[in-house]
Amino acid sequence: METPITMASLLLLFFSFLFFLQSTKAGASTTTGSIAFTTLGRSRYSFDIFSLSIASQSDSISLSQETQLTDGVSVNFNGFFPSSNSLLYVSERNGSHHLLLDLLPSIEQVPLTHHSVFADSGKTHFDITPNLDSVSMKDRPSLSGENLIYVSTHEPSSSPRKSWAGVYSTHISNLNTMRLTPDDVADFSPAVSPSGYWTAVASLSVWSGEVEELNTDLYLFRTSDGSQRTFIEHHAGWPCWADDSTLYFHRRDESGWWGVYKAVLSITGDAISLISVDRITPTGFHAFTPAASPGLPGVVAIATRRPDSEYRHVELVDLRNKGKYSYIEVTRNVKPFSHHYNPFISPDGSRIGYHRCRGSSNGNPPLLFENLKSIAPKEFSLFRFDGSYPSFSPDGKHIAFVGLPGVYVANTDGTGNIKEILSGNAFPTAWDWKREGVIYTSYGPDFASERTRVDIISIYIGNNDNEPVIKRLTTGGENNAFPSPSPDGKWIVFRSGRSGHKNLYIMDSMKGESTGLYQLTEGPWTDTMCSWSPDGEWIAFSSDRENPGGGSFAIYIAHPNGTGLRRVVHSGEGGRANHPAFSPDSKKLVFTSDYAGVSAEPISNPHHYQPYGDIFTINIDGSGIRRLTHNSYEDGTPAWTKFFLEPKDVSESLKGSAYCGFDDCHWLNIAANHNEIDGKSC
């Protein structure tokens, strides 16, 4: 068994590690453009990690007042206690994922109002992120001896729609990194046994696009090198160790209820066998993401969604009285109207941690532009944008976007200056290339059927003293959407359902369809999300024409006269590639796709309709695909301008925007009769 980590050893270890850290310094900028995209709801997060002290007696458990452990900077989540006075966690600061380790003073010495005294100190706050390109570490990190165990997506899989997520080990003194997950297998939620000898994972070999539960299997392997990989149980996720022969995990049963299960193992040398599996939480409420500790035997922490609450809360389940389990509320009495995620317990059983919204009182407003680390800084800067369907003006000085509802325009130079130019429900925006101040959008309900009344309109915003001038360009009103003007300003390509199927049409940009239409595509499928190239040669669009109605979308390009049709990228059977937009030189496309599969167990995160969409670029001949984002969010609707935007955050956002306003997974909602699960998708 390994020697327990002490405060002294942690200090020695990480002071030594600081000498090996490498910082990234940007050279002279030769960038030629910028990409902005939307992440639905992401700008409303403001997570920090909190904890309570646990006092356990043989027949009772008591909890102390809640204490904030992290520093209120960026988004901090998925914590792990290497010892009772240290905290390892994931943080999304400086535009990328970081693994941070804080050495914690005693709770008694640092009250909540003074939690920041250790946050920026060089002696107690360490960035231990491995020096890997394009690394994503949203999943659970842990320390085992001198090895950092974590999930990364920096290595591509061999085929589309296979998850890039794998478990890695990095030695924090010599920085040697080893992949512990086999090639072409995805592992999530790693948990290291108390001895450090074994790591348990939720493993996924085939992904069919699930957004609620991945149906992972439970595997064990040696932490040192990934060998002795052994299957334990089907349909198991989020494993945690109580001791070296007892595991807890979650799964959803046939009735739709999530529950926590206990697995007892027999481990003799390298021989592993499963003795028993028992459910420890009943049906009637959801229980998931369990946590246990050898320092608190017989007690399991769980996250729950009970029928009498709309919020996810943390509870302790006391299993020591075999005939009568008791439940102790941890967070509901502290913050009853906040979601609490992914509990964890210190090795000595003295603390329970979790992450939740830190609230608006000690945070900044949502960012309008959030700078992210670009994989090609000499080609473009990269931004997450707090608005839907962004599009850049031809001069790069403004960005139009949808506020759901409403259409807005803002400056791109960091001054914000957000103005509403249209109220009501609208979606994709596009600027006219020749007529200054003209923006196109579609007005009507989103996700509408072919015959729903949706029309293309133009909005002339003119100068600051005039009201916007709105002109309706389509009269059919049958789901006309996704307008994109030609670079000469004469034409607009758009999607319409007027034939009974969603196909592409071209009309006059000023007179609309009153002077006639040219049907670009025709067939019993959906062609949509069209984009005209800056050189005028191509129109890109997303289509399900290979399997109409099957939910699978690929990206195609064709000349404006309908010739030269070819497929550029497909994410595999059932996969999605959507929202293409051209690079300024028309040689590449930026798009959103599930090409890299899913990156984490969806239930461990807040609500995302598609928790697997990332941003990619590809050459228009189908070569050179590159992944720009690595997370478990729904990244989408990218826009690309030839103008370089300085890689810095812009704090101004929509007035009245809710800070930390997000939903839990919708499919956890419980119907009024408490017996049926709401069928909404997360």
Side-chain angles (χ1 to χ4, degrees):
M1 183 174 292
E2 296 187 4
T3 302
I5 298 177
T6 64
M7 174 67 76
S9 63
L10 279 168
L11 282 169
L12 177 62
L13 195 59
F14 286 100
F15 276 124
S16 300
F17 177 69
L18 287 178
F19 289 101
F20 292 92
L21 289 176
Q22 300 180 24
S23 60
T24 302
K25 296 183 179 180
S29 174
T30 58
T31 51
T32 58
S34 302
I35 295 173
F37 63 92
T38 296
T39 305
L40 186 63
R42 165 60 182 78
S43 60
R44 309 304 178 196
Y45 296 0
S46 58
F47 289 152
D48 266 312
I49 294 177
F50 296 78
S51 79
L52 294 90
S53 294
I54 302 173
S56 177
Q57 304 296 328
S58 60
D59 58 351
S60 65
I61 294 175
S62 60
L63 300 164
S64 70
Q65 185 177 356
E66 183 182 70
T67 301
Q68 183 173 327
L69 299 184
T70 48
D71 56 12
V73 176
S74 188
V75 181
N76 308 299
F77 56 96
N78 284 3
F80 171 80
F81 287 125
S83 67
S84 61
N85 52 9
S86 60
L87 173 67
L88 174 67
Y89 57 100
V90 185
S91 184
E92 293 186 16
R93 56 192 72 201
N94 302 322
S96 61
H97 293 105
H98 290 251
L99 292 183
L100 302 182
L101 186 132
D102 291 347
L103 303 185
L104 306 176
S106 68
I107 294 298
E108 291 76 15
Q109 295 175 0
V110 184
L112 177 60
T113 55
H114 298 97
H115 67 272
S116 61
V117 298
F118 64 87
D120 298 319
S121 170
K123 296 183 180 180
T124 57
H125 186 74
F126 303 90
D127 188 334
I128 60 172
T129 307
N131 189 27
L132 303 172
D133 291 333
S134 304
V135 65
S136 171
M137 292 166 291
K138 284 189 63 63
D139 218 335
R140 292 190 294 179
S142 61
L143 273 172
S144 177
E146 296 188 5
N147 290 291
L148 182 67
I149 311 298
Y150 56 95
V151 171
S152 175
T153 55
H154 69 279
E155 291 186 309
S157 60
S158 62
S159 59
R161 219 161 177 243
K162 273 187 171 291
S163 175
W164 294 18
V167 175
Y168 293 79
S169 173
T170 295
H171 193 281
I172 59 176
S173 293
N174 59 32
L175 302 185
N176 288 337
T177 296
M178 176 187 304
R179 182 180 172 104
L180 303 180
T181 298
D183 293 339
D184 285 333
V185 173
D187 286 340
F188 308 100
S189 315
V192 180
S193 65
S195 68
Y197 192 84
W198 297 103
T199 292
V201 292
S203 185
L204 180 70
S205 56
V206 178
W207 183 61
S208 59
E210 301 94 341
V211 298
E212 298 182 10
E213 185 185 13
L214 299 182
N215 291 310
T216 52
D217 295 330
L218 181 60
Y219 278 82
L220 301 188
F221 53 74
R222 289 180 60 184
T223 308
S224 60
D225 58 8
S227 64
Q228 297 298 123
R229 187 177 176 95
T230 304
F231 167 78
I232 300 298
E233 176 75 347
H234 285 298
H235 192 189
W238 203 266
C240 68
W241 296 86
D243 53 53
D244 268 31
S245 62
T246 307
L247 279 166
Y248 294 94
F249 62 86
H250 66 209
R251 67 162 58 124
R252 190 170 65 165
D253 63 22
E254 295 180 353
S255 67
W257 295 105
W258 285 80
V260 172
Y261 294 75
K262 176 181 179 181
V264 178
L265 310 176
S266 173
I267 303 178
T268 305
D270 289 333
I272 307 171
S273 60
L274 177 63
I275 296 175
S276 64
V277 173
D278 296 294
R279 182 167 184 155
I280 67 166
T281 61
T283 59
F285 66 93
H286 293 303
F288 38 80
T289 60
S293 169
L296 196 62
V299 178
V300 183
I302 58 174
T304 65
R305 275 292 302 278
R306 290 186 176 270
D308 61 346
S309 175
E310 297 180 0
Y311 295 91
R312 182 182 300 207
H313 283 292
V314 173
E315 301 180 33
L316 291 173
V317 187
D318 192 339
L319 308 176
R320 292 175 294 184
N321 184 349
K322 293 184 179 180
K324 186 179 181 181
Y325 296 166
S326 59
Y327 291 81
I328 300 97
E329 292 183 340
V330 176
T331 61
R332 193 168 181 177
N333 293 331
V334 180
K335 286 284 183 180
F337 305 116
S338 293
H339 295 296
H340 299 77
Y341 292 86
N342 307 350
F344 55 102
I345 302 174
S346 62
D348 64 1
S350 66
R351 291 188 183 184
I352 180 171
Y354 46 85
H355 63 267
R356 67 162 174 82
C357 174
R358 63 176 167 263
S360 59
S361 60
N362 58 344
N364 297 317
L367 296 170
L368 182 63
F369 286 93
E370 181 183 6
N371 170 51
L372 303 183
K373 182 180 179 181
S374 172
I375 67 167
K378 293 185 178 181
E379 294 181 41
F380 52 80
S381 53
L382 183 64
F383 295 91
R384 176 180 288 124
F385 183 77
D386 185 27
S388 297
Y389 301 108
S391 64
F392 290 102
S393 61
D395 60 8
K397 294 181 179 180
H398 301 91
I399 192 167
F401 63 98
V402 174
L404 298 175
V407 177
Y408 297 82
V409 173
N411 298 339
T412 59
D413 61 2
T415 59
N417 192 27
I418 299 172
K419 295 181 179 179
E420 185 180 39
I421 62 172
L422 178 73
S423 61
N425 197 59
F427 46 121
T429 64
W431 294 75
D432 192 284
W433 291 95
K434 297 297 184 181
R435 292 190 293 151
E436 184 177 356
V438 174
I439 300 169
Y440 302 101
T441 188
S442 46
Y443 190 78
D446 51 7
F447 297 108
S449 66
E450 283 79 0
R451 299 298 187 183
T452 303
R453 182 64 186 258
V454 182
D455 276 310
I456 306 294
I457 61 173
S458 66
I459 307 172
Y460 174 60
I461 57 177
N463 58 53
N464 293 333
D465 297 328
N466 294 332
E467 289 293 322
V469 178
I470 299 172
K471 182 178 181 179
R472 190 181 300 272
L473 299 177
T474 58
T475 58
E478 294 175 337
N479 209 334
N480 305 296
F482 293 97
S484 180
S486 60
D488 62 9
K490 296 180 179 180
W491 310 100
I492 294 174
V493 62
F494 65 101
R495 190 265 328 267
S496 179
R498 64 188 62 216
S499 70
H501 303 287
K502 295 177 181 177
N503 295 139
L504 302 185
Y505 297 79
I506 294 175
M507 66 180 174
D508 187 282
S509 64
M510 294 185 66
K511 298 178 181 179
E513 70 171 279
S514 62
T515 59
L517 291 173
Y518 168 66
Q519 187 167 359
L520 178 63
T521 66
E522 183 176 3
W525 49 66
T526 293
D527 296 330
T528 186
M529 305 173 190
C530 41
S531 175
W532 210 312
S533 66
D535 65 5
E537 290 295 314
W538 296 100
I539 291 173
F541 60 96
S542 185
S543 177
D544 70 347
R545 58 180 55 211
E546 293 189 3
N547 182 22
S552 179
F553 282 81
I555 290 175
Y556 295 78
I557 60 173
H559 293 302
N561 64 4
T563 64
L565 176 71
R566 70 170 183 262
R567 191 178 75 182
V568 178
V569 63
H570 186 37
S571 184
E573 184 179 354
R576 296 188 178 188
N578 296 107
H579 298 290
F582 282 94
S583 61
D585 62 5
S586 301
K587 295 180 179 180
K588 294 182 174 65
L589 289 168
V590 61
F591 63 99
T592 181
S593 179
D594 60 358
Y595 190 91
V598 65
S599 297
E601 292 191 62
I603 198 170
S604 67
N605 294 316
H607 165 67
H608 291 283
Y609 179 69
Q610 296 174 337
Y612 46 74
D614 282 293
I615 305 298
F616 296 81
T617 62
I618 195 169
N619 298 325
I620 62 171
D621 64 4
S623 65
I625 190 168
R626 295 187 298 181
R627 184 178 183 178
L628 305 190
T629 63
H630 292 250
N631 55 53
S632 56
Y633 304 137
E634 180 190 355
D635 293 336
T637 64
W640 201 335
T641 178
K642 66 180 180 180
F643 296 97
F644 172 60
L645 304 183
E646 289 291 338
K648 62 181 180 180
D649 293 337
V650 177
S651 61
E652 183 173 350
S653 192
L654 289 175
K655 292 180 174 60
S657 295
Y659 188 56
C660 213
F662 58 91
D663 294 327
D664 201 4
C665 292
H666 287 180
W667 37 267
L668 292 176
N669 291 345
I670 303 169
N673 62 8
H674 297 174
N675 292 318
E676 298 179 1
I677 308 300
D678 192 330
K680 293 181 180 179
S681 179
C682 183

